[in-house]
Amino acid sequence: MYIYDEYDQKIVNERVSQFRDQTQRYLDGKLTEEQFLPLRLQNGLYVQRYAPMLRVAVPYGLLSSEQARKLGHIARTYDKGYAHISTRTNVQFNWPELAAVPDILAELASVQMHAIQTSGNCIRNTTTDQFAGVVPNELVDPRPYCEIIRQWSTFHPEFAFLPRKFKIAVNSHESDDRAATLLHDIGIKIVRNEQGELGYAFYVGGGLGRTPIVASLVKEFVAEKDLLTYLDAVLRVYNLHGRRDNKYKARIKILVKALGVDAFRDKVDAEWQHLKGGPGTLTQEELERVKGHFTAPNYETLDENTELQKQLSENKAFANWYNRNVNEHKVKGYAIVTLTLKKLGVPPGDITDRQFDSVADLADKYSFGEIRNTHEQNMVLADVKQDDLFELWQQAKELGFATPNLGLLTDMICCPGGDFCALANAKSIPVAEALQAKFDDLDYLHDLGDLDLNISGCMNACGHHHIGHIGILGVDKKGEEFYQVSLGGSSGPDASVGKILGPSFAREEMPDVIEKVLSVYVRNRIEGERFIDTYRRIGHSPFKEFVYAKSH
């Protein structure tokens, strides 16, 4: 992983000192709320419903065990003993005291972490595949390119005050997309052209929120060395032409839609002519410097584990976990393990201080001391020897990390909702808990198969409800909380935005509503067909007619 040099560390330390002074002046009444607002946002600090919320940057989801222990220490010392993994793979603390935030930032800086650019109208944390660098059929490891984007975007003076927040994702897998790349302001697919040269396909104008849109292909191939100059060109066009008079119309997706993809592309190309070949061009030396931080760990030469097959055949619970939570590794004898944070009775994505310590211990023992947060609010140990899987499973089970529901209905994405967020129209967590309780039969969940269910507490869509196969959105109706259901969303290579089923439901109705939706799928599916495949084959009407029928 990338290790700070002396300049990185100095910049982060100075930022902590600067914010400590700004916070003290605010607490002393020398700065108004309006004056303090941009200063706290630049350091990841929101004012939420009950307390400040501090969002900590985890670049492309990658953590060291030392950093995970520090996050556990912060949760224990400065918060209420837990934190939340966000869909941008960051970590959020929901209960810090404002006066203590500079101390928290100093603690983070001691392990090369910060909260810079995790809020505000700037370029946010760049995300990628949680299996980057270890999964088969990947074109190249995308993490060095994410790191190059991180270094370019952090403190970029020209893009510190964009019309709205800006999100970038990078994907390098030939057939899978675990980063929802096409639902980003810029989605970058690493590709090779007909000559075998490495480069990028640029998709621009995707996003969720009030106007969900799948990104459009703006440039089919940009050479590897031109990553930053083309990014500069896209951002400059957006910064110049994006709307600032209406925040609901300010994202780049609205600009692309208003201009049309062809006209937008023309403007970017015109701007690029001023930048291409200039100082922003990546040299081979710079590419190799950054790639040098992402070399393979010291893998052993291993044979396939014959004992593993015996363990799988003799232990159904282990086999269920292995089939859902373990993925193939590109190195023989190793496996990728996902630790789920979706245990019954626990809000999706929440992790306690003790669990941070435990996952750090597991990473040190089994996976070269590295951990990855995922878009689906879980954590990954990317380099586990097959020989260690059974032992790891036993320990993960005791720690609450081994619920074998990865990719199933109860592996849901859920925002903090009205329990914490000041913007939310409705609570999300109680709906998630009710669904976890209703659908707690793992045999039934495994029979249903792959199914994405996402929950958001408002139209800002932090729970990505638009791209769940089943999406749930909290809405306000004359001061009361209701929930709208959408079907048919997808975040993969075949990305699509879900279609609203019909009028919203009361919270207590939601488990039965979802049960009806699932029953339509079960009745109509053909062998091997996922929920999203059945929905696309039979269409919206059978689901709507059954859910809204007066009686069954």
Side-chain angles (χ1 to χ4, degrees):
M1 64 188 298
Y2 182 77
I3 304 298
Y4 284 7
D5 62 21
E6 61 179 300
Y7 301 105
D8 297 321
Q9 191 65 57
K10 183 178 180 183
I11 289 170
V12 171
N13 290 345
E14 288 180 349
R15 186 61 175 262
V16 173
S17 177
Q18 182 188 51
F19 188 64
R20 187 182 296 282
D21 177 66
Q22 291 164 346
T23 302
Q24 191 58 53
R25 284 192 286 148
Y26 171 71
L27 293 173
D28 291 343
K30 296 176 182 176
L31 290 178
T32 66
E33 180 64 46
E34 185 178 2
Q35 290 170 326
F36 188 56
L37 173 66
L39 305 178
R40 64 174 172 77
L41 287 177
Q42 288 168 2
N43 291 281
L45 191 62
Y46 288 79
V47 172
Q48 292 289 56
R49 189 175 295 265
Y50 301 112
M53 183 274 280
L54 180 66
R55 182 179 293 148
V56 178
V58 182
Y60 32 93
L62 190 59
L63 284 170
S64 68
S65 57
E66 181 187 23
Q67 290 171 332
R69 287 192 183 88
K70 179 61 73 175
L71 292 169
H73 166 73
I74 290 170
R76 187 162 46 246
T77 308
Y78 300 95
D79 208 275
K80 291 191 175 184
Y82 67 95
H84 181 76
I85 308 297
S86 79
T87 55
R88 291 213 71 70
T89 68
N90 292 318
V91 171
Q92 296 179 177
F93 294 100
N94 286 307
W95 300 99
E97 294 287 340
L98 175 59
V101 169
D103 291 337
I104 297 174
L105 296 179
E107 296 257 21
L108 291 169
S110 71
V111 292
Q112 304 193 347
M113 298 186 79
H114 59 73
I116 297 163
Q117 289 187 201
T118 57
S119 60
N121 296 331
C122 56
I123 300 170
R124 303 287 186 87
N125 186 29
T126 297
T127 54
T128 190
D129 188 346
Q130 66 265 26
F131 298 163
V134 295
V135 69
N137 300 320
E138 183 181 61
L139 197 57
V140 293
D141 186 345
R143 291 174 301 172
Y145 303 94
C146 293
E147 177 57 30
I148 288 169
I149 294 171
R150 187 193 72 81
Q151 294 187 20
W152 161 80
S153 62
T154 304
F155 296 121
H156 196 307
E158 193 173 340
F159 306 135
F161 294 97
L162 293 166
R164 280 288 280 147
K165 58 187 175 184
F166 202 91
K167 300 176 180 179
I168 301 173
V170 182
N171 187 40
S172 181
H173 200 275
E174 294 181 358
S175 57
D176 293 326
D177 183 353
R178 283 172 281 265
T181 308
L182 298 181
L183 284 307
H184 282 72
D185 296 292
I186 295 180
I188 298 173
K189 287 187 177 182
I190 300 177
V191 296
R192 288 193 188 279
N193 63 13
E194 292 180 352
Q195 290 73 44
E197 297 165 330
L198 197 69
Y200 324 91
F202 268 72
Y203 293 78
V204 182
L208 300 175
R210 291 174 183 270
T211 312
I213 297 177
V214 176
S216 299
L217 180 60
V218 168
K219 198 71 171 177
E220 197 167 357
F221 186 81
V222 173
E224 185 182 25
K225 65 181 180 180
D226 293 324
L227 173 65
L228 298 185
T229 58
Y230 198 79
L231 278 170
D232 267 321
V234 174
L235 266 296
R236 279 190 176 182
V237 169
Y238 171 52
N239 210 12
L240 182 62
H241 299 285
R243 289 181 62 172
R244 295 175 187 269
D245 61 324
N246 182 342
K247 71 176 184 178
Y248 300 119
K249 303 288 185 184
R251 297 291 291 268
I252 194 172
K253 60 189 175 185
I254 303 299
L255 177 64
V256 174
K257 187 176 180 182
L259 291 174
V261 176
D262 291 339
F264 180 82
R265 180 186 298 114
D266 290 344
K267 287 186 179 297
V268 172
D269 281 343
E271 184 64 37
W272 194 30
Q273 297 311 309
H274 303 300
L275 300 163
K276 191 176 180 182
T281 304
L282 291 170
T283 63
Q284 198 60 39
E285 182 183 12
E286 175 62 5
L287 285 165
E288 294 305 322
R289 182 188 73 83
V290 179
K291 289 178 182 178
H293 287 276
F294 299 91
T295 55
N298 189 23
Y299 292 123
E300 297 177 31
T301 301
L302 300 171
D303 294 324
E304 292 296 334
N305 187 332
T306 53
E307 181 67 17
L308 177 62
Q309 295 307 317
K310 184 171 180 288
Q311 292 163 338
L312 290 170
S313 64
E314 293 177 348
N315 192 317
K316 183 183 177 185
F318 175 59
N320 283 339
W321 175 80
Y322 177 87
N323 289 332
R324 297 305 314 184
N325 295 39
V326 178
N327 283 76
E328 183 185 2
H329 198 288
K330 70 180 184 182
V331 176
K332 187 178 178 182
Y334 284 83
I336 306 168
V337 172
T338 299
L339 303 174
T340 48
L341 300 179
K342 308 294 172 63
K343 188 179 179 182
L344 177 63
V346 177
D350 274 12
I351 179 170
T352 69
D353 58 328
R354 298 297 180 195
Q355 285 181 311
F356 268 125
D357 292 342
S358 298
V359 77
D361 292 342
L362 294 177
D364 282 340
K365 186 172 182 180
Y366 297 111
S367 194
F368 299 100
E370 285 192 358
I371 305 149
R372 300 159 184 220
N373 294 343
T374 79
H375 161 68
E376 294 85 5
Q377 302 177 294
N378 293 308
M379 302 177 99
V380 166
L381 301 180
D383 298 293
V384 179
K385 287 192 284 190
Q386 291 181 357
D387 293 349
D388 293 333
L389 285 174
F390 189 76
E391 182 180 286
L392 170 59
W393 168 68
Q394 290 176 308
Q395 294 183 34
K397 194 168 54 166
E398 291 180 6
L399 297 167
F401 291 136
T403 307
N405 62 347
L406 190 69
L408 303 178
L409 175 72
T410 53
D411 182 26
M412 58 189 81
I413 291 175
C414 179
C415 73
D419 284 295
F420 299 101
C421 180
L423 300 176
N425 291 322
K427 293 183 178 179
S428 302
I429 294 172
V431 177
E433 290 176 335
L435 294 177
Q436 286 175 325
K438 173 84 173 180
F439 302 104
D440 65 343
D441 182 342
L442 279 170
D443 288 336
Y444 177 63
L445 294 176
H446 282 258
D447 177 64
L448 289 175
D450 292 341
L451 205 162
D452 295 337
L453 190 151
N454 300 346
I455 308 173
S456 298
C458 74
M459 282 304 293
N460 289 307
C462 293
H464 292 193
H465 65 279
H466 295 298
I467 52 175
H469 299 161
I470 300 174
I472 298 175
L473 167 66
V475 295
D476 178 276
K477 288 176 119 177
K478 297 180 180 178
E480 294 189 29
E481 295 181 3
F482 281 80
Y483 296 86
Q484 190 180 73
V485 175
S486 58
L487 302 178
S490 173
S491 61
D494 57 348
S496 58
V497 173
K499 182 179 178 181
I500 296 171
L501 192 60
S504 55
F505 303 93
R507 185 191 302 168
E508 59 270 20
E509 296 178 283
M510 289 308 298
D512 291 338
V513 169
I514 300 305
E515 185 176 44
K516 290 176 182 176
V517 169
L518 296 174
S519 71
V520 176
Y521 160 57
V522 171
R523 284 201 308 273
N524 289 278
R525 66 181 172 182
I526 58 178
E527 188 173 354
E529 201 173 43
R530 301 173 304 161
F531 178 91
I532 186 66
D533 301 325
T534 300
Y535 174 83
R536 287 172 173 169
R537 179 172 55 81
I538 69 174
H540 202 68
S541 296
F543 293 92
K544 183 168 185 173
E545 288 168 4
F546 189 71
V547 169
Y548 289 98
K550 290 187 182 300
S551 62
H552 302 289

